[in-house]
Each structure stands twice: as structure tokens, then as C-alpha cells.
Amino acid sequence: MTRRIKGHLQALENEAVYVFREVAAQFERPVLLFSGGKDSIVMTWLAQKAFRPGAVPLPLLHIDTGHNFPETIEFRDRFVEDMGCRLLVRSVQDSIDRGRVQEETGPDASRNALQTVTLLDALKELKVDAALGGARRDEEKARAKERFFSHRDRFGQWDPKNQRPELWRLYNGRKAPGEHFRIFPLSNWTELDVWQYIRLEEIPIPHLYFSHEREVVRRNGVLLANSDFIELMDDERPELRRVRFRTIGDATCTGAVESEANSVEAVILETGAARVTERGGRSDDKRSEAAMEERKREGYF
Amino acid sequence: MTTTTTGAPVETDLLRFTTAGSVDDGKSTLIGRLLHDTKSIFEDQLEHIEGASRLRGEEGVNLALLTDGLKAEREQKITIDVAYRYFATPKRKFIIADTPGHVQYTRNMVTGASTADLAVILVDARKGVLTQSKRHAFITSLLGIPHIIVAVNKMDLVDYSEARFEEIRAEFREFSSKLTVKDISFVPISALHGDNVVSWSDRMPWYEGGSFLHKLETVNVGSRRNYIDFRFPVQYVIRPNQDFRGYAGTVASGSISPGEEILVLPSGHGTRVKSVEGLDGTLEEAVAGDAVTLTTEEELDISRGDMIVRRKNVPTVNDRFEAYLCWMNEEPLDPERSYVLFHTTRQVQAFVDRIEYRVDVDTLHREQAETLGLNEIGRVELTTANPIFFDSYRVNLATGNFVLVDPHTNVTVAAGMIRGEVRRLEALEDAQDAIDRPVSPAVVWQGWNVPRVERESRNGHRATVVWFTGMSGAGKTTIAREVERRLFERGVSTMLLEGDQVRHGLCGDLGFAAGDRTENIRRVGEVAKLFFEHGNVVLCTFVSPYQRDRLAVRSLLPEGRFVEVHVHAPLEELRRRDPKELYLKEERGEIDALPGSKAPYEVPAAPDLTLNTAVASVDDSVELVLARLERDGIIPKPPD
């Protein structure tokens, strides 16, 4: 049996699998946060490899903003079934209905910030002690110092000055009752690594990642998909463009890029030459210079 | 091989390196320059720092802004934690652990260095080798990183002077000769202008080595791994149904294939590997670094924290060991408290028993210490509640590292590198001091004329000293005499030294006070050694009540050539036997107090053999001694 992958991707795969197994061993109620995006798809794929021939010993948790591209949900349900995983869904709409949060208003309204409350409520309800996410250190400056095992206090908050030193491959998952960990097995991957891995492993991903025609509006330098979820400003005229998404999140703030890339290979070629970071297409990061850091302190993933 | 437009082939390898140096050395600028010149900076990031540079009133683009992440740091203008950066060239993917070189942050350097294959140490060409540079080099050496690149930066500010570069190189070399880093190379650069960073600069035509990036691309990776000693810490048990039971984990070192004989620690049970399941299916072999699942021929009770090893290559199993410890917490080390020790996939309670010394990381001097504070490094002895399975960090990084966690705050407070078992050096040194072997003046000894090994080879057996210790009347002499008789009959060359016998001549001048007993044993030890060097199995029967006297004799002999036999029976039984009526005389006050009765007898802490003569017969005891000598390979087994 020859391995399909070698070199640095094999090293990254081995590392991620090690982290998954460590989580299963050290925690009682871990969940894998599943957004439907390629990183969480790769995470699920790795989890399935880590525990084969056993089943993945942790459920997937989707925090649903309700502002989804329809393709995302269809894909999610099919993929989860194929992987033999258990899926839990908690929705922002519920949090709004129960009065836990208030919907933002105005043209830039987004449920991106609201989902933090839904997420923390869900973690509490499910008594989750470890939530695995697909975040990578290369995505944003504030993430460069993130640990594989990132400790959160009882309020789900991250204290950048109070993170534990992480040495060799000894991950310390000890905590007090009520606290939990965010865990990032893909910490050392870059966007290009993720794409190369998807290609070599032939992992299915939603079509939104490939070039397609879509009505978009340009706002603050970001191309947003025109949908029922966004409110057009007076001077905004939707236009038809060939675009693809580099991340898939809430439809109100996930930016598209103009692209002709219609296959994984084409996306890799484009990513290798890409001049804008992946998150550069997300309008929520641009709100302030230290935007990401602030949201992380509050418990954003 | 498939390549992308940037030319990056998919099968590139991975180099993890750490960078150390203070802000002033231009470390952030160097990293910014590497990312910029290898086209790893995206347009939006560049725009962003261009804007930020203008806001700060700086001319041009401040590349250092690319790498400082957290708000607090931006305010303090220093980096205070390890940050990880990524870039790739067509040859390699790189992970940089960017660690601040600020005085206070030894902790971060140790963290960054723990996973690195190479360390970059920045030196400001104007300032030369500072205390800080030395500290960086020491930590690199302590953490066992095999390669150092010394980047002599700001060459533009010393007119690209070759003489200055050579001066710094010489100074660094002199200091580093005390360290154990094998490969140190030097490169003169200007991170600000990009000289010799990515490509060779014509501003320093005298420099003939490769550029900084060229060195990073060509250094040998993976040299920290041990590919010989198979160690497999069991991480997780996979048991989906009755038919499958697999042990998941990552091969820490060495390699393994189906059919090989294995041993499970701590149970000591043996079996064979049935299959090696990789992430894509069954494998013929798994090597260090591979995440796999092993199945075994026989079903054993194996769980997380156990270690699977080869039958004939076993790590040290012990609950005491020596280590270098780097303390990483504001709260100093408390020798009275227990910590949780994380080692491979095992977690056990541990105490730091003793701080042998603290290292001044700037001068490398050793100093006495009662505790270790934040950022201090020391050599310590630890005891764990249960044995752990380890190798020395130098030989096997994967099974030689550990961290300590505070069980109350759950914070990781220290990082450790195991040196090995506690050698009980202290006890030996004390014994040596107490009985310093006097050397007559003007005597020069040239070694044995006929070496012992030649005598052993002719005799057909090895030499050893069997030391029978125990209270009067326990049966030492009776057993030793019978052992000698049996050995003699088997053609073994022997000598028996008895307490009463030596007191008739060699030690006739000595009494039974503590000092006299010690001198008695010293003389006997020296005599035993002479007979040992003559190739004999030397049987010694002495009460020898003091542990340190016995250790002193042990220290005269090579490892494994001193068999301590504790001959033991309860005091009431000895009083009943009393063959020489010694206990009776003691009772009447006619002789000095007897060890174990009215005087102290220090029971051996770790005898090689214990014979309980209240239970075992003389014959049984003799058989046990002979079996021990056969097992140790001192005497051959008799033909069946």
C-alpha cells in the first residue's frame, strides 16, 4: 500500500490526526464545529481517518445563522451522512426568538456577531468541554499565536496573556468545571495546504468554491452575493459576475472573488498566485484593525 | 511531480525553525523581508501595513509590522509570545516559531525551540555578541536543536565590513565551543535592504557562502528524530466491535512491521504485531512520526498511557530520574508540592525532590538554589507516583521530554528534558569522601600486568563480588560456604572472605565502634577488589551495617559486578538460633551492641537478592544465588 500523500502534507496530516486522538482521549464531551466550509469538511475527513475502523467519537455541531446559501445545507446533510457522523444544529433564529440576542439592522446587518451567543449557549447546553475548529494560524495576525489547545474561561472568553505554553506535542487539556477548550488541529496548515490536500485526497466540497455566475453587489471593496438576506443601499446595483467563494460563512458577509477557476486544480493555481488573503474577502474583519482579536476575546471562533 | 504556478511541488518537505533576537536586532524586519521576498505577503496585508506605516509617520513600508500580532504588543512595541508564520518556496514549506528575545522571555524561546529543527540567532553587527545571543545559543543547545544559523544583521550600518563580520564569528565560535550544537553557520545580512536574505548580495563580494534562504532550503531536516529505538505510546484504543481492537498512536521513534515481537509496558506482557493500520490502509512498515493503529496477535489488556516497544529494545522504566527543568510560571517551583507530569501519553503525579543546581543562562555558571523562578533553568531530580518509560532526551527527544502542570490552576508551569536515571552520585561521593582511598606519595601505578578480561577468558567465567550482608546469625557464612563449594565443583575460581577470618589478621587492630566498622569494610573492599581483578568470584560475608560502606565497596567495582545479597531473618529467630551466643553476651553486656539489635543496621534499599532464612532452606538459598549468577552471565549454566 503506497500512501497518496508525502512530504509536508503527510506531516500536517499526522499532526492533525494526533490532535484528534488526543482530544478523544482527554475530553469527555468534545464536538467538531461544522460550518459547511472547506476547512470543516477537511476536519471531518481527518476525524474519520483518525478513528477508522471505528466511528468518529464526537458529533458535529453546526451553528446555523439562517443566512445560508442553499447549496451549503444540501451539501452538509449529504456529506455528514457519507462520513457516518452525527450532526447537531443550533440556530441563531432560535436565539433571536428566545430574546437572547437582537437582530442587527441597517445595510451592513449581519448575524455573524450574534452566532457567538448561540454558540456559547449550545456549548453550555451540550456540556461541551472541547470544541474543535478548522481555524488556521495563517489566516489572520491574531491567530498566529493561537495554541492547538486554546483555553477558554467560564464565559467562553480567550485571554491572550493567559494561554498555556505548548511544548513538543504535549497538549494540556486540564481545566476547571465549566471551562472549555477550543482546539485547532489545522493550526499549521495554510490555505494552499488545504487545497492541495483536498485534491490529493479527492475530498468533495460544495460548488460555491468553484467559478459560477452570480448576482453580486460591490460594497467596501468586497463582492457580496445578492440575496434576500442583504439590504441594498440606494446606489447599489446588483450585477452578474463569474465568481467563486474562498470561504463559506454567513451569506451577508462572505465575499466572493471574480474567478474562472472551476476545478480544484484551477483553484490551487489561483491560490498559489493569489494576492489577497482568504479573510480579505470577509467584511467583518475590516471593521477595525484589531477586529479579529476583539471578537476572539468575546468567544468568536 | 505536480507543481503549482508558484512552482511549489506538492511533495516538498517541512522545516520548522525558531528565530531569536530582540526587537532591536531587526528580527521582525528579517521575517517580514523573508515573507515579502518569497512572495508570501498578500496584497491586502501589504496595503494594510503601508497604511499603518504612514499612520506611524514612518518612511516606506515597515516590514516588521507584518509580524507583530496582538494589540498589547503593538502598544508596548514588543512581541511577548511565540507567533507562528508560514511561507513556502519551491523546495520547502517553512514554519517559523518567532520568539521574542527580551530578557524575560526564556520561556517563549524554550517553547519555540521545542519543535524546531533549526534556530536562527540574530546578532546586530554594531553590537556584536551580547549576553542575549549567548542565552539564545545555550537554550538552543539545551533543547537539542542540531543546527544554528547566526544572522549578522545590519551589515549596512557597519559598511558591509568583512573584518567586523569575522570578529563576530570568532567571538560566537569561542562561546559556542562549550555547547553541544553540531552545526553552526554564519551569514552577513541586511534585513532592511534585503542583502543576502533571499539572494546573494554584491555589496559583500567577500562573502562566499549561500544566502540566508539558501541555507534554510538546504539544511538536512528530520535529524532530530530517532529512527532506531521503537517506542509507541498508546494514545487511544479503537474498538468498534468484537472483531477489532486496535491501539492508535504516533510512532515516537524507530519503526515497526507486522510479525515483530513486542513488549507492552508497564505490564511486561509480550506478543507480536498482527497488523499496522495506516491512515490509508494496511502498511508494511511504520516509522517515526507516522500516525497509525497497531493490532496484536494476542489480545492483551492495553490502554492509553501504556507503551509498546520491541522485546529486545526497552526504554528505562523508573519512578526516579534526573532532568533539566525550565520554569515557566510566576509562581516559583515548590519542592513540597506535587505536580502533574505529562510524558508521552502518560500523566502521573510528580515531586521535584532536589534541585542539584541552577544554571545562570548568561554565564553558564552553576549555582546552588532552593527553588526555580520564572525563566530559570536548573538540573533537578524527580520522583513520580508510578514509573514512566523514558530515554534520555539527547538520545530520543520524543521519550525524553515532559511538562509539569499545576494541579490547582491547571497551568503548564515547567518544561523538562530527561538526562537519565538518578545515579545516586551523592551517596557514592559521600562514601568516597568518608573513605578516601589514600594514595602513597610518589607512587605511580601502571595498571594490571595481566588484565582481568584475559584471566576471565581463560577461566571460562566472569569475575564478580557477591556481598552477603545481614545481622549476626542470619546465615550469611553458612550459605556463602555452600555456594563456594558448589562453584568450586563447577570449576569456578573463587575466594571467600569472612568477617571473623579477616579480624584475625588484616583487621586485627580494629574494634566494633562505628569508625572501626567502616575501616574494616574499606580494607575488605580493597582486598575483594584484588581477588576480583584476579578473575575470581569473590564471596564476602560481613554484617556491614552501614549503607554507605556497602555503596563504597560497590563503587570500587565496575557496573554489574557487585551483587548485594541481603540475608535476613527476624530478630527473635536470630536470638533463638544464636550459634555463637553473641546475643546472649550482648544481653549480659559482655560485648558491644549488635547491629540490628541494640545498634543500627541499615537494611539495603535495593539489594540484588534477598534471602529470608526464616522461610528458605540453605539449599534453596544457595540455588537462588547460583541462579542469579547464571542469569547475570557471570558463570555459565551447567549442561542439562
Side-chain angles (χ1 to χ4, degrees):
Chain A
M1 168 95 224
T2 49
R3 297 230 41 200
R4 268 182 293 185
I5 58 168
K6 293 190 174 121
H8 78 280
L9 285 177
Q10 190 187 354
L12 293 173
E13 184 190 55
N14 279 326
E15 181 177 76
V17 165
Y18 180 85
V19 173
F20 267 107
R21 289 169 172 174
E22 208 54 25
V23 168
Q26 287 197 36
F27 296 95
E28 281 169 24
R29 300 174 70 90
V31 296
L32 196 166
L33 294 178
F34 188 85
S35 69
K38 67 178 193 312
D39 298 324
S40 61
I41 290 169
V42 166
M43 289 270 288
T44 310
W45 187 266
L46 286 164
Q48 188 257 342
K49 288 183 108 175
F51 301 104
R52 219 151 50 190
V56 177
L58 46 129
L60 312 186
L61 173 63
H62 184 207
I63 301 301
D64 185 356
T65 62
H67 293 170
N68 300 299
F69 299 106
E71 300 94 311
T72 312
I73 301 298
E74 282 164 33
F75 181 90
R76 177 194 77 185
D77 293 342
R78 201 174 52 243
F79 179 73
V80 166
E81 201 186 316
D82 289 349
M83 292 283 108
C85 292
R86 196 156 66 91
L87 174 73
L88 304 169
V89 181
R90 293 294 179 271
S91 73
V92 173
Q93 190 61 49
D94 277 352
S95 302
I96 295 169
D97 295 348
R98 284 185 292 120
R100 293 282 296 142
V101 289
Q102 255 192 332
E103 188 104 65
E104 291 182 9
T105 53
D108 279 334
S110 161
R111 286 183 170 183
N112 210 40
L114 308 188
Q115 63 178 338
T116 299
V117 174
T118 311
L119 170 65
L120 292 178
D121 285 353
L123 297 182
K124 207 166 165 188
E125 173 211 333
L126 300 166
K127 298 193 175 65
V128 168
D129 52 4
L132 291 112
R136 307 186 313 265
R137 287 173 178 153
D138 81 320
E139 284 178 61
E140 214 269 347
K141 270 205 275 190
R143 289 206 202 270
K145 301 180 182 194
E146 187 55 284
R147 308 294 198 266
F148 277 85
F149 275 37
S150 180
H151 178 258
R152 301 300 154 107
D153 66 16
R154 288 181 57 200
F155 306 99
Q157 295 183 98
W158 178 74
D159 179 358
K161 287 208 164 173
N162 194 25
Q163 290 296 310
R164 301 166 179 184
E166 230 164 46
L167 295 105
W168 297 290
R169 54 196 332 170
L170 296 171
Y171 300 112
N172 172 4
R174 286 176 61 105
K175 55 175 176 32
E179 298 176 345
H180 76 276
F181 276 83
R182 300 290 172 88
I183 288 161
F184 306 110
L186 305 185
S187 287
N188 282 329
W189 298 50
T190 60
E191 187 184 14
L192 188 59
D193 295 331
V194 172
W195 279 114
Q196 287 180 340
Y197 188 72
I198 288 170
R199 190 190 62 190
L200 291 170
E201 293 278 300
E202 297 168 13
I203 303 172
I205 56 163
H207 292 298
L208 292 167
Y209 282 110
F210 303 118
S211 176
H212 58 282
E213 273 200 346
R214 182 177 289 272
E215 249 189 23
V216 292
V217 291
R218 189 176 293 275
R219 186 181 289 173
N220 301 330
V222 178
L223 292 179
L224 290 178
N226 187 23
S227 69
D228 297 342
F229 310 126
I230 68 166
E231 200 178 309
L232 291 183
M233 287 188 272
D234 293 344
D235 58 339
E236 287 178 339
R237 295 284 170 271
E239 44 192 329
L240 207 57
R241 291 288 177 89
R242 283 204 72 80
V243 297
R244 65 178 192 87
F245 292 93
R246 295 179 70 184
T247 64
I248 293 180
D250 187 293
T252 60
C253 62
T254 304
V257 291
E258 289 194 75
S259 168
E260 293 294 330
N262 56 6
S263 67
V264 180
E265 286 76 13
V267 169
I268 290 173
L269 287 176
E270 205 178 83
T271 307
R275 305 307 310 146
V276 177
T277 55
E278 224 180 337
R279 297 197 71 88
R282 290 183 75 134
S283 56
D284 47 327
D285 282 352
K286 293 206 166 176
R287 288 186 179 183
S288 85
E289 201 204 338
M292 172 69 99
E293 192 181 326
E294 262 154 28
R295 275 184 297 134
K296 278 186 73 174
R297 280 177 196 273
E298 288 158 11
Y300 176 81
F301 221 81
Chain B
M1 194 182 289
T2 320
T3 56
T4 68
T5 43
T6 53
V10 170
E11 286 177 22
T12 52
D13 56 14
L14 183 62
L15 179 79
R16 297 175 197 247
F17 69 95
T18 178
T19 54
S22 72
V23 191
D24 301 337
D25 294 334
K27 180 165 59 72
S28 296
T29 309
L30 173 62
I31 293 170
R33 171 62 64 189
L34 266 183
L35 299 181
H36 182 267
D37 289 7
T38 56
K39 312 227 182 320
S40 309
I41 301 175
F42 297 111
E43 270 170 20
D44 53 336
Q45 288 176 325
L46 201 58
E47 270 170 33
H48 186 86
I49 62 159
E50 278 166 359
S53 303
R54 270 195 305 277
L55 271 177
R56 293 157 61 113
E58 292 170 7
E59 274 179 45
V61 181
N62 184 345
L63 289 174
L65 290 180
L66 273 173
T67 58
D68 57 359
L70 301 184
K71 226 175 167 180
E73 292 175 11
R74 250 173 277 161
E75 282 154 14
Q76 293 168 28
K77 298 195 175 175
I78 51 158
T79 46
I80 54 171
D81 202 347
V82 185
Y84 295 87
R85 321 279 172 202
Y86 304 83
F87 72 99
T89 69
K91 296 206 175 76
R92 262 184 191 164
K93 167 170 170 139
F94 297 93
I95 301 179
I96 312 176
D98 179 15
T99 67
H102 191 269
V103 175
Q104 289 304 315
Y105 298 105
T106 297
R107 162 178 112 156
N108 295 322
M109 286 193 44
V110 170
T111 303
S114 73
T115 51
D117 297 304
L118 177 147
V120 174
I121 295 175
L122 263 101
V123 173
D124 184 328
R126 294 168 304 171
K127 296 179 190 156
V129 182
L130 300 178
T131 306
Q132 267 188 36
S133 327
K134 293 180 181 174
R135 180 187 308 131
H136 301 156
F138 169 67
I139 290 172
T140 303
S141 161
L142 186 70
L143 270 287
I145 299 181
H147 311 281
I148 290 182
I149 298 178
V150 179
V152 181
N153 192 22
K154 307 199 182 181
M155 288 301 291
D156 51 318
L157 300 180
V158 295
D159 298 326
Y160 299 102
S161 157
E162 180 180 10
R164 182 63 186 140
F165 176 71
E166 288 302 334
E167 202 179 334
I168 290 169
R169 169 147 70 176
E171 198 182 341
F172 198 96
R173 280 230 180 267
E174 197 207 323
F175 171 78
S176 64
S177 62
K178 293 179 221 159
L179 307 173
T180 55
V181 181
K182 295 177 208 111
D183 170 36
I184 303 182
S185 67
F186 297 80
V187 54
I189 61 166
S190 164
L192 193 65
H193 301 296
D195 298 299
N196 286 343
V197 175
V198 168
S199 47
W200 186 78
S201 162
D202 54 12
R203 280 189 274 226
M204 287 171 273
W206 46 265
Y207 173 69
E208 287 172 347
S211 73
F212 180 68
L213 181 64
H214 177 77
K215 285 180 189 291
L216 291 177
E217 282 183 322
T218 50
V219 72
N220 181 26
V221 294
S223 45
R224 291 189 90 180
R225 285 221 173 110
N226 173 323
Y227 290 100
I228 295 161
D229 308 303
F230 173 67
R231 307 282 185 257
F232 187 81
V234 175
Q235 200 182 3
Y236 188 77
V237 180
I238 296 176
R239 201 173 10 180
N241 52 53
Q242 295 294 323
D243 303 329
F244 188 91
R245 189 187 171 92
Y247 307 102
T250 297
V251 181
S253 59
S255 63
I256 194 73
S257 297
E260 291 196 72
E261 279 191 78
I262 51 167
L263 203 67
V264 181
L265 298 172
S267 75
H269 292 140
T271 181
R272 284 173 190 275
V273 175
K274 189 164 137 200
S275 70
V276 178
E277 305 295 333
L279 298 176
D280 294 323
T282 306
L283 300 173
E284 286 306 310
E285 186 188 40
V287 301
D290 288 348
V292 294
T293 301
L294 302 182
T295 64
T296 55
E297 289 283 354
E298 285 159 72
E299 241 182 55
L300 301 175
D301 184 19
I302 302 174
S303 51
R304 175 176 167 87
D306 290 359
M307 188 182 278
I308 299 177
V309 299
R310 275 217 182 84
R311 180 181 287 284
K312 288 184 179 153
N313 182 338
V314 179
T316 307
V317 179
N318 208 325
D319 57 7
R320 288 196 72 201
F321 54 91
E322 284 187 334
Y324 285 108
L325 200 64
C326 173
W327 200 257
M328 306 186 134
N329 200 258
E330 280 80 8
E331 188 107 344
L333 164 64
D334 183 351
E336 301 295 310
R337 282 187 50 189
S338 77
Y339 295 92
V340 182
L341 182 135
F342 282 53
H343 174 259
T344 65
T345 55
R346 213 167 160 78
Q347 295 178 18
V348 292
Q349 272 207 333
F351 280 95
V352 177
D353 288 329
R354 206 164 80 87
I355 299 167
E356 290 172 52
Y357 56 80
R358 178 170 58 208
V359 183
D360 181 325
V361 291
D362 297 334
T363 60
L364 302 193
H365 288 157
R366 298 170 180 187
E367 47 199 31
Q368 281 224 311
E370 298 297 311
T371 183
L372 294 176
L374 179 63
N375 294 314
E376 290 184 337
I377 293 170
R379 198 163 115 184
V380 301
E381 280 176 26
L382 292 107
T383 299
T384 49
N386 295 300
I388 61 167
F389 328 120
F390 63 84
D391 299 286
S392 125
Y393 184 83
R394 290 255 168 247
V395 174
N396 196 345
L397 179 145
T399 52
N401 71 61
F402 66 90
V403 297
L404 295 182
V405 172
D406 182 321
H408 302 299
T409 62
N410 295 323
V411 169
T412 304
V413 293
M417 288 138 282
I418 298 174
R419 289 193 74 249
E421 289 180 277
V422 175
R423 298 279 302 278
R424 297 183 192 281
L425 214 61
E426 184 187 36
L428 288 179
E429 277 164 5
D430 284 359
Q432 293 285 12
D433 290 346
I435 337 165
D436 205 7
R437 296 179 76 187
V439 176
S440 308
V443 172
V444 179
W445 183 42
Q446 297 188 323
W448 303 102
N449 186 31
V450 179
R452 186 184 73 246
V453 281
E454 287 184 30
R455 295 179 192 274
E456 288 178 331
S457 146
R458 192 169 65 182
N459 289 347
H461 64 83
R462 288 187 163 142
T464 194
V465 172
V466 184
W467 190 271
F468 295 84
T469 172
M471 289 148 59
S472 281
K476 300 182 294 293
T477 304
T478 311
I479 294 167
R481 285 177 166 236
E482 186 55 28
V483 169
E484 187 184 33
R485 174 55 58 186
R486 299 275 293 275
L487 288 172
F488 180 76
E489 284 167 4
R490 283 163 70 169
V492 175
S493 179
T494 64
M495 184 61 197
L496 176 66
L497 299 173
E498 295 176 18
D500 292 346
Q501 163 208 43
V502 299
R503 293 228 177 227
H504 278 90
L506 180 67
C507 303
D509 57 330
L510 301 174
F512 292 88
D516 281 3
R517 282 188 182 276
T518 294
E519 173 60 13
N520 184 41
I521 298 303
R522 186 191 76 80
R523 292 186 194 175
V524 170
E526 292 291 349
V527 172
K529 184 173 165 61
L530 289 173
F531 281 104
F532 167 79
E533 291 297 348
H534 190 254
N536 293 286
V537 170
V538 189
L539 306 159
C540 305
T541 66
F542 294 88
V543 177
S544 49
Y546 305 119
Q547 175 85 1
R548 64 170 202 181
D549 293 351
R550 298 190 299 257
L551 275 171
V553 179
R554 185 188 283 266
S555 74
L556 294 174
L557 298 156
E559 182 93 27
R561 301 298 183 94
F562 180 87
V563 183
E564 188 176 46
V565 181
H566 181 208
V567 185
H568 165 76
L571 186 59
E572 310 79 69
E573 167 74 10
L574 299 179
R575 288 211 167 106
R576 198 185 52 72
R577 288 182 194 165
D578 205 8
K580 298 178 203 157
E581 299 193 330
L582 289 172
Y583 292 98
L584 191 67
K585 287 178 186 163
E586 182 197 31
E587 202 61 39
R588 290 186 194 142
E590 292 170 16
I591 56 169
D592 290 336
L594 290 170
S597 170
K598 291 179 177 168
Y601 174 83
E602 295 171 10
V603 174
D608 298 291
L609 193 61
T610 300
L611 303 174
N612 184 345
T613 57
V615 182
S617 68
V618 173
D619 272 356
D620 291 345
S621 300
V622 169
E623 286 301 331
L624 285 170
V625 175
L626 294 174
R628 174 79 200 200
L629 295 176
E630 286 170 9
R631 209 200 76 187
D632 289 354
I634 300 294
I635 56 170
K637 287 194 173 125
D640 290 326

